[in-house]
Amino acid sequence: MTPGRPVPPPLAKPITPASDAGVLAAAYGAVSSDSGLVPLTVARRAPKPDDVEIAIEFCGLCHSDVHAVRGEWGGQTYPLVPGHEIVGTVSRIGAGVTDFSVGERVGVGCIVDSCRECDSCLEGLEQYCEKGMTGTYGATDRRNADATTQGGYSSSIVVDRRYVVRVPESLDPAAVAPLLCAGVTTFSPLRHFDVEEGDVVGVVGLGGLGHMAVKLAKAMGAKVVVFTTSESKVPAALELGADEVVLSRDEDAMAAADRTIDLIIDTVAAPHDLNPLFRALRVDGALFQLGLPSEAMPPVNPRALIRRRIAYAGSLIGGIAETQEMLDFCAEHGVVADIEVVSAGGLNDAYDRMVAGDVKYRFVLDTSTLQAPAKEADA
C-alpha cells in the first residue's frame, strides 16, 4: 500500500463581475449557546465573477454542528447557521464561471476558501492550508469583508467555484449530503494508503463515520473487521458489509485478532485505549485517528509502535479534488450514507438524538421545510 495525492483543479483566471443582486435566505441557526436552533434569515452575497449560487435541497447534520452551536469548542460568533454537508442545484453563476451551469446538482463540504498559494493548496490539500482554510460556517471570510460564514441549514448559499463539487445524478441527493464530510473523512485515509483487494481494514466505532468507512473499504475490495464495545452492534455491522466483528472488551477475541489488520480507521470520539488496537496491526500497519475526543486519551505505548514499525496518524476531511474523486467512486460503486431525513422543526430533537447516539447513521435536513425568509437578515 502506497500513499497518493489527488490533482487539484486549475485556478480560475481574472474575469468580469457578475450581477450585484444578493438574496435573503431562510435558515435555522443559533443566536446563543443555549438558544437551540431557531428560524433565521441570512443575507447571501451577490455572485462574484467566480461564484456559484446554490439552491440548497439537503444538508447533513454533523456532530461537530452540535459542538459549534452549543459553544462547546470555545468562543463562537452568533447568530450562527451550521451545516457543511450541502447538496443543491446551481441557481446562478458568476460571469466567468464556465465549469458549472444553472440547474446542475452540486455539493459543498467543509471548506469554502483557502489561501490558494501555499504548498498544501497547490497540491489539492486545502484542508491543510498553511494559512488556515475557511470553514463553511463560523469562520472569518477574508475575501468577503471578514463576514462570518453561514452554513447549509438554509435555502441558498454562494460559494467560490473552486470549492464546489459535482454530485453524480445516479446518487440519491439526500443520501449524498453526509458524503461531503463523513464520506471524504473516511475515504481520504483509505485512499492515502491505497487500500485494495486483499487488504484487511479495521474500523473502530460504528456511527456516522464508521458506517461510511465500512462501506468504502468494502467497495475498495478490502476485508473489513469492525471493532466495537457493544454486542448489539454486531448485526448492524454485518448488515453494512463487515466480514467480521470483534468485541473489543473480549480479551480472547482481541488476542485472536493479533497481527491480522493492515489499516485501522478509528472513528471513536471518546477517550479509549489504543494499545490493544496496535496489537491487532501487522508489521507496517497504521492506525488513523479520525474521532476527536474532548478529553485526554490514555497514553500510547511507544514499544507497540516500534516493535512492528506501526504508524499512528491523523487525517482531516479531504481536499476538493479528493472530495470529487470520492463522489465519483461512490457513484461507480453505488455507495451512499444511511440516513434519516428531518424537517426544520425537528432539528433540535435530532441534535438531542445525535448526542444520545440514536441515529442510523446520519440525519439530513430537507431544506424545503424551512420557512420563508424575513424581510431583514439576522446574519
Side-chain angles (χ1 to χ4, degrees):
M1 296 185 290
T2 55
R5 285 180 174 171
V7 178
L11 299 181
K13 297 178 180 179
I15 42 183
T16 55
S19 164
D20 60 359
V23 298
L24 293 176
Y28 254 63
V31 295
S32 68
S33 62
D34 58 1
S35 71
L37 294 165
V38 298
L40 296 173
T41 295
V42 177
R44 297 300 191 187
R45 69 176 184 266
K48 295 163 62 178
D50 277 0
D51 280 344
V52 175
E53 182 185 75
I54 302 165
I56 300 173
E57 299 172 287
F58 299 100
C59 185
L61 278 59
C62 180
H63 207 118
S64 60
D65 299 347
V66 180
H67 292 307
V69 162
R70 297 180 177 178
E72 295 170 352
W73 281 349
Q76 186 63 66
T77 300
Y78 298 96
L80 176 68
V81 175
H84 56 211
E85 300 176 346
I86 299 167
V87 172
T89 57
V90 177
S91 53
R92 256 197 311 179
I93 56 174
V97 176
T98 60
D99 43 356
F100 294 100
S101 57
V102 172
E104 186 175 5
R105 180 163 282 131
V106 295
V108 176
C110 304
I111 311 170
V112 293
D113 201 4
S114 60
C115 80
R116 311 176 192 173
E117 298 174 349
C118 70
D119 288 344
S120 292
C121 285
L122 296 176
E123 291 175 11
L125 300 171
E126 296 92 346
Q127 73 273 36
Y128 303 122
C129 175
E130 294 165 23
K131 296 182 180 179
M133 69 176 187
T134 301
T136 305
Y137 66 85
T140 300
D141 191 348
R142 294 185 291 270
R143 295 184 201 274
N144 292 283
D146 287 343
T148 299
T149 57
Q150 304 291 351
Y153 296 9
S154 57
S155 56
S156 70
I157 193 168
V158 178
V159 179
D160 187 288
R161 66 166 191 83
R162 299 169 181 84
Y163 305 89
V164 179
V165 292
R166 288 181 176 80
V167 173
E169 288 295 333
S170 62
L171 298 177
D172 174 5
V176 163
L179 301 183
L180 296 164
C181 177
V184 72
T185 296
T186 48
F187 180 87
S188 186
L190 291 168
R191 183 59 85 209
H192 184 74
F193 262 73
D194 197 20
V195 168
E196 58 189 5
E197 188 172 356
D199 292 332
V200 182
V201 174
V203 177
V204 184
L206 200 65
L209 289 174
H211 99 286
M212 286 308 311
V214 171
K215 290 188 174 193
L216 290 167
K218 283 297 295 182
M220 292 175 181
K223 175 183 177 180
V224 176
V225 179
V226 169
F227 291 84
T228 179
T229 60
S230 175
E231 191 167 355
S232 65
K233 291 193 175 181
V234 172
L238 296 173
E239 183 179 348
L240 285 168
D243 298 282
E244 185 180 337
V245 183
V246 175
L247 294 174
S248 53
R249 291 177 177 171
D250 184 331
E251 292 184 4
D252 291 338
M254 289 299 292
D258 185 72
R259 296 177 185 263
T260 61
I261 310 293
D262 295 300
L263 174 68
I264 292 176
I265 304 295
D266 188 339
T267 70
V268 175
H272 56 291
D273 188 1
L274 296 174
N275 294 294
L277 295 170
F278 290 138
R279 289 192 286 273
L281 288 168
R282 294 170 173 160
V283 172
D284 285 334
L287 187 152
F288 267 93
Q289 188 73 46
L290 303 184
L292 184 61
S294 58
E295 299 175 8
M297 293 273 282
V300 167
N301 181 359
R303 183 176 299 172
L305 307 179
I306 292 169
R307 286 189 302 184
R308 299 182 194 175
R309 199 161 59 186
I310 287 170
Y312 176 38
S315 184
L316 176 66
I317 50 176
I320 306 306
E322 191 168 46
T323 301
Q324 187 65 65
E325 179 190 357
M326 177 271 305
L327 288 173
D328 294 340
F329 176 89
C330 288
E332 180 182 354
H333 295 276
V335 174
V336 289
D338 286 13
I339 64 167
E340 180 179 336
V341 177
V342 297
S343 66
L347 283 170
N348 289 305
D349 180 59
Y351 270 29
D352 291 339
R353 287 179 57 193
M354 272 199 288
V355 172
D358 178 25
V359 55
K360 280 190 172 181
Y361 287 91
R362 297 287 275 205
F363 287 115
V364 174
L365 169 65
D366 177 355
T367 62
S368 70
T369 63
L370 294 168
Q371 66 179 30
K375 294 182 179 180
E376 295 185 1
D378 301 290

